[in-house]
Amino acid sequence: QIAREIVAMGVRPVVVVYDEKEDLDLSQFPSGVEKVERADLMSAQEKLADTKGVSALIYVQTCAAEKRRRRKRGQFPDPDRRVFINTDVCEGCGDCGVQSNCVSIVPVETELGRKRAIDQSSCNKDFSCLKGFCPSFVTLEGATLKKAATQALDLPDLPDPALPAITGTHNVVITGVGGTGVVTVGAVMAQAAQIDGKGAGMMEMAGLAQKGGAVHIHLRLANRPGDISAVRVAVGEADAVIGGDLVVTAGAKTVGLMTTGRTGAVVNSHEIITGAFTQNTEFRLPVKDLQVSLEARLRDGLTMFDASELSRLLLGDSIYSNMMVLGGAWQMGLIPLSGDAIREAIRLNKAAVEGNLRAFEIGRWAALHPDEAARVIAPADTASLPADPVAYREARLVEYQGKRLARRFRKLVDGIEDKPLREAVAKGYFKLLAYKDEYEVARLHLATEAKARETFEGDFVMKFHLAPPIMTGKDSQGRPKKREFGPWMMSGFRMLAKMKGLRGTPFDPFGYSSERKMERSLIKQFEGDMQEVLPKLTSATRDPILELAMLPLSIRGYGPVKEANERAAAKRREELLAAIASGGTPTRMAAQ
């Protein structure tokens, strides 16, 4: 209807950009209206920007948070398709996040650096991450998530807390991120207030409602509905804060609602990924600073535990974390509602009732016994790193090419006595030696199904998203066009993996590309640099030499992404060599 009205006004051109996964009848649009898939949104915008006069672009796509709600109710198409990332193929370049701006792409820390994975519980299946220029992405058709294995936990008898008295109104602020059930917690509390015969006024959203966006719920509880004159909690008036997300809770907007001595808070300490990670590949939350900010304002009124990890380990899904935090807040005497009323409100909500009831009780226990809760989580937080990073990389090089390449690696590394420097050189040198060419990507993808079956089950079909150099064509950004390849590609991978002996020889058909030439030249350059700078090691030159050794770790990605990172690294290399030559001029350390 909107398109018809715009056309009737004489506006030309009119472009409809649509998500091809929507249940949309394109024939209903008036003639003359151009239809463009969402993947080509940028080119459509550029075209209209160059058009004189008035033009119109109509974007048709259901809100991501609304998609999830409707899918849970069976009211929206749910593609029988999942995205999976083989972390061995992934370079951790972050281009998938840049292209999709999706917070369901999460970091995975490995011995070979920070990689990427898909948070399947929050993925909205818009598949925009596939635009990232990377061969590690695989789509699985017919796959279902395995039910996560959970730990058993026998809860002790927990004492009921002394509930706070309500004087006028009791003001509660609930924080979190969009799409994680923050609004549900507020609704449960408002329903519980009604069951208890109390009044409740709730502002469901204060801020921008979006998947992964900051959400604040303002809730006033009173003995009588008439005692509530305004719903929004004013500066310094919060009596209780239920913090479902550390970043939002420690933000100035929330801290400003707190008052020392009056406000009590229970906060989820889990490091939930923010939108900044999609643009900054090495972004890390300033967790300590956030905690200090809350401690400074709340002092003894602050209780923290990792509700997300407890939910995952004990209930099989982090979606229960907010209900867990509510349980903790109630147990700490911050909520003037009876436990029976809260439990009945959970039942009336009719959403994952048993899980939410269990989460409420676990949250009570975790708030009372944070040290015990931390011990439950501790094994999952202990990274299984190899005892010797150098030996680990040597073994990987044997698998990659053979013992000859491993000996080359050892020849450079073994002569370094300074242990941190030795490991830095090993990491940088390995990154260059084990460049992921067509043979290596093929070899690593032979294990993709086994890796995928750690998360999924069912008789699924794998499809690969690649940009083979033998195929021409550019995408809307002028980069080599990615194409989808069916399960038959596994035969091609097996053949390519067997051909790795051709790597670096005159018979290597892929070795003549500019990318492969660049990779080989970087190896020789690094060897020359290390031979030049290692004899110059002093206390003054140590930092720039360490950074130079680790610099190859920043040359990540494939194709145009890797080339751009190499250019940035080349500039930094010149600065570091100059600093070392001058005797160790102070230099910033690159984040690795």
Side-chain angles (χ1 to χ4, degrees), residues 172-176 206 214-218 232-260 263-267 293-294 297-298:
V172 182
V173 176
I174 309 165
T175 69
V215 176
H216 292 78
I217 309 296
H218 290 224
R232 192 175 188 119
V233 178
V235 173
E237 288 189 354
D239 295 300
V241 174
I242 299 172
D245 174 72
L246 179 59
V247 174
V248 182
T249 308
K253 184 176 180 180
T254 312
V255 172
L257 303 175
M258 306 174 186
T259 297
T260 305
T263 310
V266 175
V267 182
S293 176
L294 289 174
R297 179 58 60 96
L298 298 170

Side-chain angles (χ1 to χ4, degrees), residues 84 86 98 154 185 189 216 222 242 271 295 328 349 353 429 557 561 589:
F84 176 76
N86 183 334
V98 172
D154 293 327
V185 172
M189 292 181 66
H216 292 78
I242 299 172
E271 297 182 39
E295 289 167 355
N349 188 53
V353 173
Y429 195 28
V561 177
M589 286 297 290

Side-chain angles (χ1 to χ4, degrees), residues 13-297:
V14 178
V15 177
V16 171
V17 178
Y18 65 96
D19 185 344
E20 65 277 10
K21 296 175 290 299
E22 299 271 347
D23 186 12
L24 187 65
D25 186 358
L26 294 175
S27 66
Q28 296 297 312
F29 287 93
S31 60
V33 172
E34 183 181 355
K35 292 91 170 178
V36 175
E37 290 189 4
R38 193 187 68 160
D40 295 322
L41 170 62
M42 189 61 67
S43 58
Q45 291 181 117
E46 291 171 350
K47 178 181 176 181
L48 293 182
D50 294 334
T51 301
K52 291 184 178 180
V54 178
S55 58
L57 186 149
I58 303 172
Y59 190 93
V60 183
Q61 184 179 2
T62 305
C63 162
E66 184 61 23
K67 279 183 184 178
R68 296 183 67 199
R69 294 189 189 102
R70 293 186 190 176
R71 280 175 177 160
K72 287 179 181 178
R73 298 178 175 91
Q75 298 171 352
F76 193 86
D78 188 3
D80 187 14
R81 191 182 184 208
R82 295 275 187 175
V83 178
F84 176 76
I85 297 176
N86 183 334
T87 52
D88 284 342
V89 180
C90 172
E91 283 272 282
C93 69
D95 188 55
C96 51
V98 172
Q99 299 301 319
S100 65
N101 201 36
C102 180
V103 293
S104 290
I105 300 172
V106 296
V108 177
E109 304 297 343
T110 74
E111 170 59 24
L112 298 180
R114 176 179 270 200
K115 306 297 188 77
R116 299 295 186 273
I118 303 295
D119 182 352
Q120 300 294 337
S121 65
S122 67
C123 177
N124 282 319
K125 297 185 178 181
D126 68 359
F127 308 118
S128 57
C129 54
L130 297 177
K131 293 189 294 184
F133 196 82
C134 174
S136 67
F137 284 81
V138 179
T139 48
L140 309 175
E141 297 180 1
T144 56
L145 277 172
K146 281 185 177 179
K147 187 175 182 180
T150 57
Q151 296 182 24
L153 176 67
D154 293 327
L155 293 175
D157 290 334
L158 301 171
D160 285 347
L163 301 182
I166 299 178
T167 305
T169 61
H170 190 85
N171 308 321
V172 182
V173 176
I174 309 165
T175 69
V177 295
T180 62
V182 188
V183 177
T184 299
V185 172
V188 164
M189 292 181 66
Q191 180 68 63
Q194 190 175 45
I195 294 170
D196 268 347
K198 294 181 170 62
M202 185 173 74
M203 178 182 288
E204 290 193 353
M205 294 288 177
L208 182 63
Q210 61 176 357
K211 176 190 170 188
V215 176
H216 292 78
I217 309 296
H218 290 224
L219 174 68
R220 288 186 188 262
L221 302 171
N223 289 317
R224 296 177 302 276
D227 293 340
I228 302 172
S229 58
V231 176
R232 192 175 188 119
V233 178
V235 173
E237 288 189 354
D239 295 300
V241 174
I242 299 172
D245 174 72
L246 179 59
V247 174
V248 182
T249 308
K253 184 176 180 180
T254 312
V255 172
L257 303 175
M258 306 174 186
T259 297
T260 305
R262 172 176 178 173
T263 310
V266 175
V267 182
N268 181 4
S269 63
H270 191 77
E271 297 182 39
I272 299 174
I273 289 301
T274 67
F277 179 67
T278 64
Q279 303 299 317
N280 180 355
T281 59
E282 294 301 325
F283 175 79
R284 284 174 170 79
L285 291 177
V287 174
K288 293 298 182 184
D289 293 341
L290 297 174
Q291 291 180 353
V292 167
S293 176
L294 289 174
E295 289 167 355
R297 179 58 60 96

Side-chain angles (χ1 to χ4, degrees), residues 480-493:
K481 187 175 181 179
K482 292 182 70 177
R483 294 174 170 85
E484 183 178 272
F485 297 85
W488 61 267
M489 194 64 196
M490 289 298 295
S491 298
F493 288 151

Side-chain angles (χ1 to χ4, degrees), residues 390 409-429 526-527 529-531 533-535 537 542 545-546 549:
V390 176
F409 169 75
R410 278 287 190 178
K411 183 178 179 181
L412 176 60
V413 173
D414 280 350
I416 304 171
E417 296 182 0
D418 184 302
K419 184 178 179 181
L421 180 58
R422 178 173 180 265
E423 291 187 1
V425 172
K427 290 177 180 179
Y429 195 28
F526 184 85
E527 292 170 340
D529 287 347
M530 291 301 104
Q531 289 173 2
V533 303
L534 289 177
L537 179 64
R542 190 171 188 276
I545 290 176
L546 271 170

